[in-house]
Amino acid sequence: MSVLSAPKPARRRRGQDPGSIIGKPGFLTYGLLIAFILGSAFPLYWSFLVASRDSSFTAEQLPPMWPGGNFFANAARVFDTAPFWLALGNSFLVGAIVTVSVVFFGTLAGYAFAKLQFRGNNALFAFVIATLLVPTQLGVIPMFMAMAELEMAGELVAVILPNLVTALGVFWMRQYLIAAVPTELLEAARVDGCSMIRTFWHVVLPAARPAAAILALFTFMTSWNDFLWPLVVLDPSNPTIQLALEQLQSGYSVDYSLVLAGTTLATLPILFIFIVLGKQIVSGIMQGAVKG
């Protein structure tokens, strides 16, 4: 009876890092990455392409694939057609407040569920997760009735208040903090005389920064792109950015150059936020890959 021998480990050269045994990516890998990048960037380029030309561009059978010279004229028409500056300010205000609140309270609750032992921990966390199963649309009418009763309908606070804490944020931070913060580190902080809040502020928050950056990006994107709830609770004279974009196409005929000029302008803040948080996002992804 033959005995199967175990495969021999890959040989490495003298002075080579043990973690660099994996081969270099080949032509197929780079080709797939380039195709993915081009496929992701093409909708943005097409939006800018249409926004830089007049309305007759979309009627051409073979439209040119290089930008025209009408982007700034179309952008000026965007600000003349809808209260775009007001919508940008409203969306920035709502997105900033909601993002800071979701990250802070999500980290605070995630730390409690991950590292603190108290009665009903698992049951309460299961209830938080169960709220993710409830469709958002089911709460629109009750929330509107509550905001109308509180005389907040039509105000930005009606958009901010229901989104200050999210179950997804609590779940995300709890799962990250379980592995990112060793229990021994928390015990050492308590031995040194740190209170619960001080331990959270000086130990947990710095360790949670990569996951918090990812949560902040997705929370801001969700708030920036939210359309249904602002449409229900806000007045047309006090819109967010998505309601302002809807006002650009409210006529009988849609001017796609105007609409996509507004869409391009509305995309720029998201790109800026991604660039600012890009380093923390990559750090969080790499840490998760190493731990996995």
Side-chain angles (χ1 to χ4, degrees), residues 183-195 198-200 203:
T183 304
E184 294 80 6
L185 184 60
L186 300 177
E187 293 176 351
R190 295 192 186 102
V191 170
D192 290 338
C194 290
S195 63
R198 190 176 179 184
T199 302
F200 171 76
V203 178

Side-chain angles (χ1 to χ4, degrees), residues 98 101-103 105-106 109 160-170:
V98 169
S101 176
V102 167
V103 171
F105 288 110
I160 297 172
L161 194 59
N163 299 310
L164 289 178
V165 183
T166 62
L168 181 60
V170 174

Side-chain angles (χ1 to χ4, degrees), residues 103-128:
V103 171
F104 177 76
F105 288 110
T107 307
L108 193 64
Y111 165 60
F113 284 123
K115 295 299 178 179
L116 302 184
Q117 300 298 325
F118 56 92
R119 183 177 299 178
N121 186 325
N122 295 330
L124 186 58
F125 182 69
F127 175 77
V128 172

Side-chain angles (χ1 to χ4, degrees), residues 13-85:
R13 300 176 182 176
R14 181 179 299 176
Q16 185 180 9
D17 185 8
S20 61
I21 298 177
I22 301 177
K24 295 181 178 180
F27 176 78
L28 179 61
T29 302
Y30 283 112
L32 291 175
L33 288 175
I34 293 173
F36 179 78
I37 292 173
L38 293 178
S40 301
F42 182 76
L44 297 176
Y45 178 74
W46 181 258
S47 298
F48 176 75
L49 191 67
V50 177
S52 64
R53 295 185 175 272
D54 54 27
S55 57
S56 62
F57 173 78
T58 56
E60 299 182 18
Q61 293 183 351
L62 295 175
M65 297 303 294
W66 56 89
N70 296 332
F71 177 77
F72 292 103
N74 290 331
R77 287 200 300 136
V78 168
F79 290 99
D80 293 336
T81 305
F84 215 74
W85 283 118

Side-chain angles (χ1 to χ4, degrees), residues 143-186:
M143 283 195 301
F144 179 79
M145 295 174 62
M147 294 303 161
E149 187 69 22
L150 296 173
E151 298 182 355
M152 294 181 181
E155 303 294 335
L156 291 180
V157 66
V159 181
I160 297 172
L161 194 59
N163 299 310
L164 289 178
V165 183
T166 62
L168 181 60
V170 174
F171 171 76
W172 173 268
M173 297 308 300
R174 185 253 188 190
Q175 297 302 109
Y176 181 83
L177 292 175
I178 287 178
V181 180
T183 304
E184 294 80 6
L185 184 60
L186 300 177

Side-chain angles (χ1 to χ4, degrees), residues 30 36 58 93 97-98 138 205 213 225 245:
Y30 283 112
F36 179 78
T58 56
L93 181 62
I97 295 176
V98 169
L138 291 181
L205 276 183
N225 295 325
L245 292 178

